[in-house]
Amino acid sequence: SRCEEGWRAATAAAAGDAPRQATVSVIRIIARVCPPMDGGADVAGELRDFDVGTLRVRAACAPSSAELHRGLGGDETDLTGHVPWLACMPLCEYLASEPGRRLLAGRPRVFELGAGVGLPGLLAGRSASELRLSDNQPAIIRQLNQSIAENARLGLLPPAPNSSAETLFWGSVELPKNVREGGFDLILASDCVYYEGSAALLVDTACRLLAPNGTLLLSYTSRWRETDRALCYALASARMHCCIAPDAQEAHIHETSGRVARVYTVTANTESPVSAAPVS
């Protein structure tokens, strides 16, 4: 894809920079090679209800008549960010489970990376003292704001200004005003890593935002071994401990593609960085 080509070109161009400068250079070069898309702005959205166990989550997204995009490709309309992907519902189910509820005890500050529809964040936000949903596409930010407004109206989310949608580019030096380094107890990410270069950017951004003793819940679909290895390397380089989430041992397998999605817990650990690699 153009973005994969952009990553390779950016990495080569930034090779002589210092680590942090190199990351910024990569982001800027990718922005030139892959100009920001408006997140499938031609998709007419609607508020839909999604059942997660006994809970119901309402979110703005593509209409129910649209085929759910599971990363199989071939769609005439780009539904990226407008429908739940394969790893989204396993993460929602985990948040609704007993281990997930324990993570949400104490009203944590919650942040979702690459939120898209934002179902995991909206679900976790019910128990949060602060909720920030993030993406980098204008159409998706509008969609998330609609979801936040609807759930706040229903009394399910922290009131403004403690709930918001934020435009965030992974690896960017500057953060939105409502996003703080080390400011979030629980970070969520589902189906956010599609190519090798995105793995390091995701991990770097999560580490930067994660509070001491915080947890990243990563719901990951294994698609390509090169991407799996890049994610493992990024986690190990950041000295993060990654393991399959408690009581989430069963993999979620897509019936058509055979792709596997699992939920992982990622925490800072200086002794054993990676104990369960996110691979197929």
Side-chain angles (χ1 to χ4, degrees):
S1 70
R2 292 181 63 203
C3 287
E4 290 178 274
E5 294 170 2
W7 169 258
R8 295 189 184 96
T11 302
D17 293 346
R20 175 63 66 179
Q21 293 173 326
T23 300
V24 177
S25 299
V26 166
I27 291 288
R28 289 172 178 166
I29 295 171
I30 287 179
R32 292 199 298 269
V33 177
C34 306
M37 297 175 294
D38 200 18
D42 57 339
V43 177
E46 65 180 19
L47 286 168
R48 292 173 55 191
D49 289 334
F50 295 85
D51 292 322
V52 182
T54 60
L55 301 176
R56 177 162 290 181
V57 186
R58 180 168 295 178
C61 56
S64 54
S65 58
E67 180 181 356
L68 289 187
H69 193 299
R70 300 304 189 186
L72 300 179
D75 301 79
E76 292 185 3
T77 301
D78 180 12
L79 295 177
T80 301
H82 289 284
V83 290
W85 284 41
L86 173 59
C88 175
M89 295 314 293
L91 181 52
C92 289
E93 291 167 6
Y94 186 76
L95 289 167
S97 71
E98 183 58 34
R101 288 195 294 270
R102 287 198 296 270
L103 273 178
L104 293 169
R107 296 183 58 76
R109 299 162 296 176
V110 176
F111 192 94
E112 185 171 4
L113 289 165
V117 175
L119 292 181
L122 293 169
L123 183 60
R126 299 181 177 195
S127 303
S129 60
E130 178 183 356
L131 174 66
R132 308 297 176 193
L133 306 179
S134 70
D135 211 286
N136 64 3
Q137 306 299 337
I140 303 303
I141 295 298
R142 292 193 293 271
Q143 175 178 275
L144 290 171
N145 277 321
Q146 183 182 358
S147 297
I148 290 171
E150 175 65 12
N151 283 270
R153 184 188 68 81
L154 296 172
L156 298 175
L157 294 181
N162 290 334
S163 294
S164 65
E166 304 291 337
T167 300
L168 178 67
F169 292 88
W170 301 348
S172 176
V173 173
E174 295 184 5
L175 295 175
K177 66 176 183 178
N178 290 321
V179 181
R180 308 169 306 283
E181 290 194 19
F184 298 92
D185 308 296
L186 179 62
I187 295 181
L188 309 173
S190 66
D191 257 339
C192 285
V193 180
Y194 298 101
Y195 65 100
E196 298 169 59
S198 63
L201 294 175
L202 171 71
V203 172
D204 176 74
T205 303
C207 289
R208 187 179 175 194
L209 302 182
L210 201 60
N213 302 315
T215 298
L216 164 64
L217 275 183
L218 175 65
S219 192
Y220 176 71
T221 301
S222 177
R223 292 180 172 86
W224 304 282
R225 290 194 177 273
E226 295 80 4
T227 307
D228 296 342
R229 286 194 292 266
L231 181 55
C232 290
Y233 179 79
L235 290 168
S237 298
R239 304 194 68 80
M240 301 299 286
H241 177 80
C242 177
C243 63
I244 297 173
D247 296 344
Q249 300 295 320
E250 183 178 351
H252 293 254
I253 304 175
H254 187 257
E255 60 184 13
T256 303
S257 68
R259 287 171 176 156
V260 176
R262 287 186 183 274
V263 180
Y264 298 86
T265 57
V266 181
T267 55
N269 188 325
T270 57
E271 295 179 1
S272 178
V274 179
S275 65
V279 295
S280 57

